[in-house]
Short mmCIF file of all heavy atoms in Angstrom, two decimals:
data_model
loop_
_atom_site.label_atom_id
_atom_site.label_comp_id
_atom_site.label_asym_id
_atom_site.label_seq_id
_atom_site.Cartn_x
_atom_site.Cartn_y
_atom_site.Cartn_z
N GLN N 98 24.22 115.79 117.56
CA GLN N 98 23.36 116.82 118.20
C GLN N 98 23.15 116.37 119.65
O GLN N 98 22.59 115.29 119.91
CB GLN N 98 22.01 116.91 117.48
CG GLN N 98 21.14 118.03 118.02
CD GLN N 98 19.81 118.07 117.30
OE1 GLN N 98 19.77 118.27 116.09
NE2 GLN N 98 18.72 117.85 118.03
N PRO N 99 23.68 117.12 120.58
CA PRO N 99 23.60 116.65 121.96
C PRO N 99 22.15 116.66 122.53
O PRO N 99 21.26 117.21 121.92
CB PRO N 99 24.48 117.66 122.71
CG PRO N 99 24.70 118.80 121.79
CD PRO N 99 24.28 118.44 120.43
N TRP N 100 22.06 115.99 123.62
CA TRP N 100 20.75 115.87 124.29
C TRP N 100 20.26 117.24 124.68
O TRP N 100 21.03 118.13 125.02
CB TRP N 100 20.92 114.96 125.52
CG TRP N 100 19.70 114.84 126.36
CD1 TRP N 100 18.72 113.94 126.23
CD2 TRP N 100 19.34 115.68 127.46
NE1 TRP N 100 17.74 114.10 127.16
CE2 TRP N 100 18.10 115.20 127.95
CE3 TRP N 100 19.90 116.79 128.09
CZ2 TRP N 100 17.43 115.77 129.04
CZ3 TRP N 100 19.20 117.34 129.18
CH2 TRP N 100 17.99 116.84 129.62
N SER N 101 18.91 117.48 124.58
CA SER N 101 18.32 118.72 125.11
C SER N 101 16.98 118.33 125.74
O SER N 101 16.45 117.26 125.45
CB SER N 101 18.12 119.72 123.96
OG SER N 101 17.10 119.27 123.12
N PRO N 102 16.45 119.21 126.58
CA PRO N 102 15.19 118.83 127.24
C PRO N 102 14.08 118.55 126.23
O PRO N 102 13.20 117.73 126.48
CB PRO N 102 14.85 120.06 128.08
CG PRO N 102 16.12 120.82 128.20
CD PRO N 102 16.96 120.48 127.06
N GLU N 103 14.17 119.16 125.05
CA GLU N 103 13.12 118.96 124.03
C GLU N 103 13.28 117.66 123.27
O GLU N 103 12.33 117.00 122.91
CB GLU N 103 13.11 120.11 122.99
CG GLU N 103 12.78 121.47 123.54
CD GLU N 103 13.99 122.16 124.10
OE1 GLU N 103 15.03 122.24 123.37
OE2 GLU N 103 13.95 122.59 125.27
N SER N 104 14.56 117.32 122.99
CA SER N 104 14.76 116.09 122.19
C SER N 104 15.99 115.31 122.68
O SER N 104 16.89 115.89 123.29
CB SER N 104 14.96 116.47 120.72
OG SER N 104 16.18 117.17 120.60
N SER N 105 15.95 114.01 122.40
CA SER N 105 17.12 113.19 122.79
C SER N 105 18.27 113.47 121.81
O SER N 105 18.08 114.08 120.75
CB SER N 105 16.75 111.72 122.80
OG SER N 105 16.08 111.40 121.61
N ALA N 106 19.44 113.00 122.17
CA ALA N 106 20.64 113.26 121.35
C ALA N 106 20.56 112.52 120.02
O ALA N 106 19.92 111.47 119.93
CB ALA N 106 21.88 112.82 122.11
N LEU N 107 21.20 113.08 119.00
CA LEU N 107 21.25 112.40 117.70
C LEU N 107 22.66 111.82 117.51
O LEU N 107 23.67 112.51 117.74
CB LEU N 107 20.96 113.39 116.59
CG LEU N 107 19.53 113.88 116.44
CD1 LEU N 107 19.38 114.69 115.15
CD2 LEU N 107 18.56 112.71 116.39
N ILE N 108 22.72 110.57 117.07
CA ILE N 108 24.02 109.90 116.94
C ILE N 108 24.19 109.37 115.53
O ILE N 108 23.25 108.77 114.96
CB ILE N 108 24.13 108.74 117.96
CG1 ILE N 108 24.14 109.34 119.38
CG2 ILE N 108 25.38 107.90 117.73
CD1 ILE N 108 23.62 108.39 120.39
N LEU N 109 25.36 109.60 115.01
CA LEU N 109 25.70 109.06 113.67
C LEU N 109 26.51 107.79 113.88
O LEU N 109 27.53 107.78 114.57
CB LEU N 109 26.54 110.07 112.90
CG LEU N 109 26.95 109.64 111.51
CD1 LEU N 109 25.74 109.50 110.59
CD2 LEU N 109 27.94 110.67 110.90
N LEU N 110 25.98 106.70 113.31
CA LEU N 110 26.69 105.41 113.46
C LEU N 110 27.30 105.01 112.12
O LEU N 110 26.62 105.09 111.08
CB LEU N 110 25.70 104.32 113.89
CG LEU N 110 25.31 104.23 115.37
CD1 LEU N 110 24.43 103.00 115.58
CD2 LEU N 110 26.52 104.13 116.28
N ARG N 111 28.51 104.65 112.21
CA ARG N 111 29.16 104.17 110.97
C ARG N 111 29.42 102.69 111.16
O ARG N 111 30.06 102.27 112.12
CB ARG N 111 30.48 104.91 110.77
CG ARG N 111 31.25 104.48 109.58
CD ARG N 111 32.44 105.43 109.40
NE ARG N 111 33.31 104.91 108.37
CZ ARG N 111 34.37 104.19 108.62
NH1 ARG N 111 34.72 103.92 109.85
NH2 ARG N 111 35.09 103.74 107.62
N LEU N 112 28.88 101.88 110.27
CA LEU N 112 29.03 100.43 110.42
C LEU N 112 30.03 99.88 109.40
O LEU N 112 30.05 100.32 108.26
CB LEU N 112 27.69 99.74 110.22
CG LEU N 112 26.60 100.10 111.23
CD1 LEU N 112 25.32 99.31 110.97
CD2 LEU N 112 27.06 99.84 112.66
N GLU N 113 30.74 98.92 109.87
CA GLU N 113 31.77 98.35 108.97
C GLU N 113 31.75 96.85 109.16
O GLU N 113 31.81 96.37 110.30
CB GLU N 113 33.13 98.90 109.38
CG GLU N 113 34.18 98.76 108.32
CD GLU N 113 35.51 99.35 108.84
OE1 GLU N 113 35.53 99.82 110.01
OE2 GLU N 113 36.49 99.30 108.11
N ASN N 114 31.63 96.15 108.06
CA ASN N 114 31.62 94.69 108.12
C ASN N 114 32.91 94.20 108.77
O ASN N 114 34.01 94.45 108.28
CB ASN N 114 31.51 94.16 106.68
CG ASN N 114 31.40 92.66 106.63
OD1 ASN N 114 31.87 91.99 107.55
ND2 ASN N 114 30.77 92.15 105.58
N ARG N 115 32.75 93.51 109.88
CA ARG N 115 33.92 93.07 110.67
C ARG N 115 34.83 92.15 109.85
O ARG N 115 36.06 92.29 109.84
CB ARG N 115 33.41 92.31 111.88
CG ARG N 115 33.86 92.62 113.29
CD ARG N 115 35.21 92.98 113.54
NE ARG N 115 35.47 93.61 114.81
CZ ARG N 115 34.99 93.28 116.02
NH1 ARG N 115 34.10 92.35 116.19
NH2 ARG N 115 35.39 93.91 117.09
N THR N 116 34.16 91.17 109.16
CA THR N 116 34.96 90.20 108.39
C THR N 116 35.74 90.92 107.30
O THR N 116 36.93 90.66 107.09
CB THR N 116 34.08 89.12 107.72
OG1 THR N 116 32.72 89.42 108.00
CG2 THR N 116 34.44 87.74 108.19
N LEU N 117 35.02 91.89 106.67
CA LEU N 117 35.71 92.65 105.62
C LEU N 117 36.85 93.47 106.23
O LEU N 117 37.97 93.49 105.73
CB LEU N 117 34.73 93.61 104.95
CG LEU N 117 34.13 93.14 103.63
CD1 LEU N 117 33.25 94.24 103.05
CD2 LEU N 117 35.25 92.77 102.67
N ALA N 118 36.47 94.09 107.40
CA ALA N 118 37.48 94.92 108.07
C ALA N 118 38.68 94.08 108.47
O ALA N 118 39.83 94.47 108.27
CB ALA N 118 36.87 95.55 109.31
N THR N 119 38.37 92.87 109.04
CA THR N 119 39.47 91.99 109.44
C THR N 119 40.28 91.62 108.21
O THR N 119 41.52 91.61 108.24
CB THR N 119 38.91 90.72 110.13
OG1 THR N 119 37.85 91.13 110.95
CG2 THR N 119 39.96 90.02 110.93
N GLY N 120 39.47 91.30 107.11
CA GLY N 120 40.18 90.94 105.85
C GLY N 120 41.08 92.08 105.43
O GLY N 120 42.27 91.87 105.15
N ASN N 121 40.49 93.29 105.46
CA ASN N 121 41.29 94.45 105.07
C ASN N 121 42.50 94.60 105.98
O ASN N 121 43.60 94.92 105.55
CB ASN N 121 40.46 95.73 105.16
CG ASN N 121 39.59 95.87 103.94
OD1 ASN N 121 39.84 95.19 102.93
ND2 ASN N 121 38.56 96.70 104.02
N PHE N 122 42.16 94.34 107.26
CA PHE N 122 43.22 94.46 108.25
C PHE N 122 44.36 93.47 107.95
O PHE N 122 45.54 93.81 107.99
CB PHE N 122 42.64 94.19 109.65
CG PHE N 122 43.64 94.43 110.75
CD1 PHE N 122 44.06 95.73 111.04
CD2 PHE N 122 44.15 93.37 111.49
CE1 PHE N 122 44.98 95.95 112.04
CE2 PHE N 122 45.07 93.59 112.48
CZ PHE N 122 45.47 94.89 112.78
N ILE N 123 43.90 92.24 107.61
CA ILE N 123 44.93 91.22 107.30
C ILE N 123 45.73 91.65 106.08
O ILE N 123 46.97 91.60 106.07
CB ILE N 123 44.26 89.84 107.05
CG1 ILE N 123 43.73 89.31 108.39
CG2 ILE N 123 45.25 88.84 106.45
CD1 ILE N 123 42.84 88.11 108.28
N ILE N 124 44.98 92.15 105.07
CA ILE N 124 45.68 92.59 103.87
C ILE N 124 46.65 93.72 104.21
O ILE N 124 47.81 93.74 103.79
CB ILE N 124 44.68 93.06 102.78
CG1 ILE N 124 43.95 91.83 102.23
CG2 ILE N 124 45.39 93.78 101.65
CD1 ILE N 124 42.77 92.15 101.36
N LEU N 125 46.13 94.63 105.06
CA LEU N 125 46.96 95.75 105.48
C LEU N 125 48.22 95.25 106.19
O LEU N 125 49.35 95.68 105.91
CB LEU N 125 46.16 96.64 106.42
CG LEU N 125 46.75 98.03 106.61
CD1 LEU N 125 46.59 98.82 105.32
CD2 LEU N 125 46.06 98.76 107.76
N ASN N 126 47.92 94.28 107.10
CA ASN N 126 49.05 93.69 107.84
C ASN N 126 50.07 93.08 106.90
O ASN N 126 51.27 93.26 107.06
CB ASN N 126 48.54 92.60 108.79
CG ASN N 126 48.43 93.17 110.19
OD1 ASN N 126 48.84 94.30 110.44
ND2 ASN N 126 47.84 92.39 111.09
N GLN N 127 49.48 92.34 105.91
CA GLN N 127 50.38 91.70 104.95
C GLN N 127 51.20 92.76 104.21
O GLN N 127 52.41 92.63 104.03
CB GLN N 127 49.57 90.90 103.92
CG GLN N 127 49.20 89.51 104.43
CD GLN N 127 48.26 88.82 103.45
OE1 GLN N 127 47.78 89.43 102.49
NE2 GLN N 127 47.99 87.56 103.72
N LYS N 128 50.44 93.83 103.85
CA LYS N 128 51.12 94.91 103.13
C LYS N 128 52.24 95.49 103.98
O LYS N 128 53.35 95.72 103.51
CB LYS N 128 50.11 96.03 102.79
CG LYS N 128 49.24 95.70 101.60
CD LYS N 128 49.75 96.45 100.38
CE LYS N 128 49.27 95.86 99.07
NZ LYS N 128 47.84 95.95 98.82
N ILE N 129 51.92 95.71 105.28
CA ILE N 129 52.93 96.27 106.18
C ILE N 129 54.11 95.33 106.28
O ILE N 129 55.27 95.73 106.22
CB ILE N 129 52.31 96.54 107.58
CG1 ILE N 129 51.35 97.73 107.47
CG2 ILE N 129 53.39 96.81 108.62
CD1 ILE N 129 50.58 98.01 108.72
N ASP N 130 53.71 94.01 106.40
CA ASP N 130 54.75 92.98 106.47
C ASP N 130 55.67 93.05 105.26
O ASP N 130 56.90 93.06 105.38
CB ASP N 130 54.07 91.61 106.49
CG ASP N 130 54.38 90.89 107.77
OD1 ASP N 130 54.69 91.61 108.76
OD2 ASP N 130 54.31 89.64 107.78
N GLU N 131 54.98 93.08 104.08
CA GLU N 131 55.75 93.12 102.84
C GLU N 131 56.65 94.35 102.80
O GLU N 131 57.81 94.29 102.40
CB GLU N 131 54.81 93.13 101.63
CG GLU N 131 54.38 91.74 101.23
CD GLU N 131 53.23 91.78 100.24
OE1 GLU N 131 53.08 92.82 99.56
OE2 GLU N 131 52.50 90.79 100.16
N LEU N 132 56.00 95.46 103.25
CA LEU N 132 56.74 96.71 103.25
C LEU N 132 57.97 96.61 104.15
O LEU N 132 59.08 97.03 103.78
CB LEU N 132 55.82 97.83 103.73
CG LEU N 132 56.03 99.17 103.04
CD1 LEU N 132 55.75 99.04 101.56
CD2 LEU N 132 55.13 100.22 103.67
N ALA N 133 57.72 96.03 105.35
CA ALA N 133 58.82 95.86 106.29
C ALA N 133 59.92 95.00 105.68
O ALA N 133 61.11 95.30 105.80
CB ALA N 133 58.31 95.23 107.58
N LYS N 134 59.42 93.92 105.00
CA LYS N 134 60.40 93.02 104.37
C LYS N 134 61.17 93.77 103.30
O LYS N 134 62.39 93.61 103.15
CB LYS N 134 59.70 91.80 103.78
CG LYS N 134 59.48 90.71 104.81
CD LYS N 134 58.87 89.48 104.19
CE LYS N 134 58.40 88.52 105.26
NZ LYS N 134 57.24 87.77 104.83
N GLU N 135 60.42 94.57 102.53
CA GLU N 135 61.05 95.33 101.45
C GLU N 135 62.11 96.29 102.03
O GLU N 135 63.22 96.39 101.52
CB GLU N 135 59.96 96.11 100.70
CG GLU N 135 60.45 96.94 99.52
CD GLU N 135 61.09 96.12 98.42
OE1 GLU N 135 60.75 94.93 98.31
OE2 GLU N 135 61.95 96.68 97.71
N VAL N 136 61.65 96.94 103.16
CA VAL N 136 62.60 97.87 103.81
C VAL N 136 63.84 97.10 104.25
O VAL N 136 64.98 97.53 104.02
CB VAL N 136 61.92 98.54 105.03
CG1 VAL N 136 62.96 99.27 105.88
CG2 VAL N 136 60.86 99.52 104.56
N GLN N 137 63.58 95.90 104.84
CA GLN N 137 64.68 95.04 105.30
C GLN N 137 65.60 94.69 104.12
O GLN N 137 66.82 94.80 104.21
CB GLN N 137 64.07 93.77 105.91
CG GLN N 137 65.09 92.82 106.52
CD GLN N 137 65.60 93.39 107.85
OE1 GLN N 137 65.07 94.36 108.35
NE2 GLN N 137 66.67 92.82 108.35
N ARG N 138 64.89 94.27 103.01
CA ARG N 138 65.66 93.89 101.81
C ARG N 138 66.53 95.05 101.33
O ARG N 138 67.69 94.88 101.01
CB ARG N 138 64.70 93.48 100.69
CG ARG N 138 64.62 91.96 100.51
CD ARG N 138 64.14 91.60 99.12
NE ARG N 138 62.87 92.20 98.79
CZ ARG N 138 61.68 91.68 99.11
NH1 ARG N 138 61.62 90.55 99.77
NH2 ARG N 138 60.57 92.29 98.77
N ARG N 139 65.90 96.22 101.33
CA ARG N 139 66.65 97.39 100.84
C ARG N 139 67.82 97.71 101.76
O ARG N 139 68.90 98.04 101.30
CB ARG N 139 65.73 98.61 100.76
CG ARG N 139 64.89 98.50 99.53
CD ARG N 139 64.06 99.68 99.29
NE ARG N 139 63.20 99.38 98.16
CZ ARG N 139 62.70 100.28 97.37
NH1 ARG N 139 62.96 101.52 97.58
NH2 ARG N 139 61.94 99.92 96.37
N LYS N 140 67.52 97.55 103.08
CA LYS N 140 68.59 97.80 104.04
C LYS N 140 69.75 96.84 103.78
O LYS N 140 70.91 97.23 103.76
CB LYS N 140 68.07 97.59 105.46
CG LYS N 140 67.79 98.89 106.16
CD LYS N 140 67.54 98.62 107.62
CE LYS N 140 66.97 99.85 108.29
NZ LYS N 140 66.30 99.51 109.52
N GLN N 141 69.36 95.54 103.60
CA GLN N 141 70.38 94.52 103.36
C GLN N 141 71.16 94.84 102.08
O GLN N 141 72.39 94.74 102.03
CB GLN N 141 69.75 93.14 103.24
CG GLN N 141 69.43 92.54 104.61
CD GLN N 141 68.64 91.26 104.50
OE1 GLN N 141 68.19 90.91 103.42
NE2 GLN N 141 68.48 90.58 105.62
N ALA N 142 70.38 95.25 101.04
CA ALA N 142 71.02 95.57 99.77
C ALA N 142 72.00 96.73 99.96
O ALA N 142 73.11 96.71 99.43
CB ALA N 142 69.98 95.93 98.73
N GLU N 143 71.53 97.70 100.78
CA GLU N 143 72.38 98.86 101.01
C GLU N 143 73.66 98.45 101.74
O GLU N 143 74.76 98.85 101.40
CB GLU N 143 71.60 99.87 101.84
CG GLU N 143 72.17 101.26 101.75
CD GLU N 143 71.42 102.21 102.66
OE1 GLU N 143 70.21 102.36 102.47
OE2 GLU N 143 72.04 102.77 103.56
N GLU N 144 73.43 97.54 102.77
CA GLU N 144 74.58 97.03 103.52
C GLU N 144 75.55 96.32 102.58
O GLU N 144 76.76 96.56 102.62
CB GLU N 144 74.10 96.00 104.57
CG GLU N 144 73.44 96.61 105.76
CD GLU N 144 74.43 97.28 106.69
OE1 GLU N 144 75.40 96.62 107.07
OE2 GLU N 144 74.23 98.47 106.99
N ALA N 145 74.93 95.43 101.74
CA ALA N 145 75.76 94.65 100.81
C ALA N 145 76.53 95.58 99.89
O ALA N 145 77.72 95.38 99.62
CB ALA N 145 74.88 93.71 100.00
N LEU N 146 75.82 96.63 99.45
CA LEU N 146 76.44 97.60 98.55
C LEU N 146 77.62 98.29 99.24
O LEU N 146 78.69 98.45 98.67
CB LEU N 146 75.40 98.64 98.15
CG LEU N 146 75.65 99.29 96.81
CD1 LEU N 146 75.48 98.28 95.70
CD2 LEU N 146 74.69 100.46 96.60
N LYS N 147 77.34 98.65 100.54
CA LYS N 147 78.38 99.32 101.32
C LYS N 147 79.60 98.41 101.43
O LYS N 147 80.73 98.84 101.23
CB LYS N 147 77.82 99.60 102.71
CG LYS N 147 77.97 101.05 103.13
CD LYS N 147 77.63 101.15 104.59
CE LYS N 147 76.94 102.42 104.95
NZ LYS N 147 76.35 102.34 106.28
N LYS N 148 79.28 97.10 101.76
CA LYS N 148 80.36 96.14 101.95
C LYS N 148 81.16 95.97 100.65
O LYS N 148 82.38 95.95 100.65
CB LYS N 148 79.76 94.80 102.38
CG LYS N 148 80.69 94.03 103.29
CD LYS N 148 80.00 92.87 103.93
CE LYS N 148 80.96 91.73 104.01
NZ LYS N 148 80.28 90.46 104.14
N MET N 149 80.36 95.85 99.55
CA MET N 149 81.01 95.68 98.26
C MET N 149 81.89 96.88 97.94
O MET N 149 82.99 96.74 97.42
CB MET N 149 79.96 95.50 97.17
CG MET N 149 79.79 94.04 96.80
SD MET N 149 78.28 93.76 95.93
CE MET N 149 78.60 94.58 94.40
#
Side-chain angles (χ1 to χ4, degrees):
Q98 185 181 299
W100 175 89
S101 70
E103 296 85 51
S104 66
S105 48
L107 288 189
I108 294 153
L109 180 66
L110 279 186
R111 178 173 172 264
L112 297 183
E113 199 180 1
N114 184 334
R115 230 323 163 43
T116 3
L117 261 184
T119 320
N121 280 344
F122 186 69
I123 289 170
I124 290 169
L125 197 70
N126 261 353
Q127 277 173 352
K128 281 258 160 67
I129 289 174
D130 242 24
E131 275 168 23
L132 216 62
K134 275 184 192 149
E135 181 62 25
V136 168
Q137 184 74 10
R138 257 203 304 276
R139 282 185 186 206
K140 257 191 192 160
Q141 280 173 350
E143 199 183 301
E144 285 286 308
L146 207 67
K147 232 191 215 167
K148 211 168 143 201
M149 260 162 69

